[in-house]
Amino acid sequence: MNTKITTYSLEHHKSLFTDANNDREYFYIQAKDHPYISEPYRAESYAIEFLRKGSIVMQTKLKKTVIYAPAILTLGPSVIRSFTKDSDEILIDIIFFKPQFFLHNQANVFFLSQYDFFENSEMHVFNLERKNKIKFEQIFTLLRQSIEHNSDNQPSILRAYLYILIYELDVIKQTITNDSAQNPLFEKFKEILSRDFISQRSVQYYADVLNVSRKYLSEVIKNNSGKTASDWIDDIVILEAKILLQNKDLTINQISDTLNFPNQSGFGRFFKKCEGISPLEYRRKNV
């Protein structure tokens, strides 16, 4: 029995939109509907989505967001997501791509990971002003045309458009960051936490990785978020637990093992300390 959140392959994403089958490491679609998947899942590919018309509801972790056009969504493989319907009529462009496709001939294998709108554990939404809407309409139109007019150079052309998309999104991200700048140590802590929280739950571990003292790390996180480092660690573990509890095929013991607790009792005590009820009670009330 699978004890982890489902990871969709690129081939599975293709099957949600079309019957066409190919072995490419990328997939583009312009759709007037979206596959509304209520069961949380991860993906093996990156995705950049351009919502041209309408609105959709997206849930990452346990946070629901209504996204209204025009907007760009970016999703890294680690993001746990699900979709529900909001608008009867939408128009959305989506480009899925595997990291190995994008990084072909790229000397910096960490290129994608330097952009937090891909690497953090949340979906990122860029609401577009008129000038940016026009710009992204042009880029996605060119991208679609390159897909429709197949050629030997198509992969290279597509990579070039992906670079343009990423750089343009980074310009918007930097503008937002400059308006609401946070301590880079805090940002790095969140990045490492989203990667390592299953196996590492001590504040000292994160302080050691970041090469600062435990006290200093705790002060920075508290000053930037109002929460302690321990609170951040507990919160992300609880969110993962709640997502796993939505899957009734998993026993509490299997979830405990998946989250790297020593036993089911330890998981139960942790969950009740944070939520005030047991994992089983949470499942009964919310699933």
Side-chain angles (χ1 to χ4, degrees):
M1 182 181 291
N2 182 14
T3 62
K4 296 183 179 179
I5 295 167
T6 300
T7 297
Y8 281 1
S9 67
L10 180 60
E11 288 67 29
H12 183 77
H13 271 124
K14 291 176 187 176
S15 71
L16 297 175
F17 291 95
T18 177
D19 293 332
N21 195 12
N22 59 60
D23 58 358
R24 294 172 178 167
E25 295 181 318
Y26 57 88
F27 173 63
Y28 166 84
I29 187 73
Q30 184 180 85
K32 294 183 178 179
D33 201 356
H34 195 287
Y36 298 107
I37 307 161
S38 59
E39 187 74 22
Y41 71 95
R42 293 186 175 98
E44 70 167 350
S45 55
Y46 288 81
I48 302 176
E49 307 189 9
F50 177 27
L51 183 62
R52 294 175 181 256
K53 296 180 182 178
S55 59
I56 58 173
V57 180
M58 186 166 188
Q59 181 167 319
T60 54
K61 296 285 186 169
L62 294 177
K63 178 183 177 183
K64 282 189 177 181
T65 305
V66 182
I67 304 163
Y68 298 94
I72 299 284
L73 294 70
T74 59
L75 292 158
S78 64
V79 177
I80 301 168
R81 81 292 299 258
S82 60
F83 298 89
T84 52
K85 188 173 183 178
D86 186 66
S87 176
D88 287 335
E89 183 179 356
I90 69 168
L91 183 62
I92 189 167
D93 295 43
I94 310 175
I95 176 71
F96 300 98
F97 57 96
K98 293 183 180 181
Q100 58 266 33
F101 165 75
F102 180 83
L103 295 171
H104 181 73
N105 290 334
Q106 165 61 255
N108 179 11
V109 296
F110 300 107
F111 181 88
L112 290 168
S113 64
Q114 68 187 314
Y115 297 101
D116 64 357
F117 50 78
F118 279 138
E119 286 306 305
N120 283 355
S121 59
E122 296 290 338
M123 162 197 65
H124 290 264
V125 179
F126 298 82
N127 296 303
L128 301 178
E129 299 176 353
R130 178 174 172 77
K131 63 178 181 179
N132 284 327
K133 174 179 179 287
I134 294 171
K135 182 188 297 182
F136 282 101
E137 283 176 341
Q138 294 170 337
I139 297 170
F140 272 91
T141 296
L142 290 169
L143 191 154
R144 185 177 74 253
Q145 290 173 350
S146 72
I147 294 290
E148 291 172 349
H149 299 90
N150 200 8
S151 74
D152 292 340
N153 294 322
Q154 186 184 94
S156 297
I157 294 170
L158 184 57
R159 284 189 201 96
Y161 287 135
L162 285 172
Y163 273 106
I164 293 170
L165 283 171
I166 291 168
Y167 286 135
E168 290 289 356
L169 289 171
D170 192 47
V171 170
I172 300 174
K173 180 68 175 178
Q174 288 180 29
T175 303
I176 296 170
T177 302
N178 289 337
D179 291 340
S180 57
Q182 288 185 316
N183 189 293
L185 180 65
F186 175 49
E187 295 300 316
K188 192 66 178 176
F189 165 77
K190 290 191 291 183
E191 177 186 331
I192 298 169
L193 177 63
S194 67
R195 183 191 70 199
D196 294 350
F197 74 92
I198 293 291
S199 59
Q200 302 293 340
R201 293 182 193 149
S202 73
V203 177
Q204 188 62 56
Y205 167 80
Y206 295 96
D208 290 343
V209 171
L210 293 165
N211 199 29
V212 296
S213 70
R214 187 181 190 280
K215 180 180 179 182
Y216 179 70
L217 178 62
S218 298
E219 288 175 353
V220 168
I221 294 170
K222 181 71 173 178
N223 290 337
N224 279 266
S225 70
K227 297 195 301 184
T228 67
S230 293
D231 287 339
W232 275 91
I233 295 168
D234 287 352
D235 285 351
I236 195 170
V237 176
I238 283 293
L239 281 172
E240 190 83 359
K242 287 178 177 177
I243 290 167
L244 291 170
L245 285 165
Q246 293 178 30
N247 184 349
K248 290 185 177 181
D249 290 335
L250 300 181
T251 66
I252 303 300
N253 190 54
Q254 287 172 324
I255 293 171
S256 172
D257 289 344
T258 299
L259 294 174
N260 202 31
F261 281 88
N263 50 56
Q264 182 176 334
S265 297
F267 171 56
R269 287 193 299 271
F270 169 80
F271 194 95
K272 190 163 187 176
K273 180 193 75 173
C274 295
E275 294 297 307
I277 58 175
S278 70
L280 188 57
E281 289 172 310
Y282 175 86
R283 172 174 275 176
R284 287 170 178 164
K285 289 182 178 180
N286 295 277
V287 180

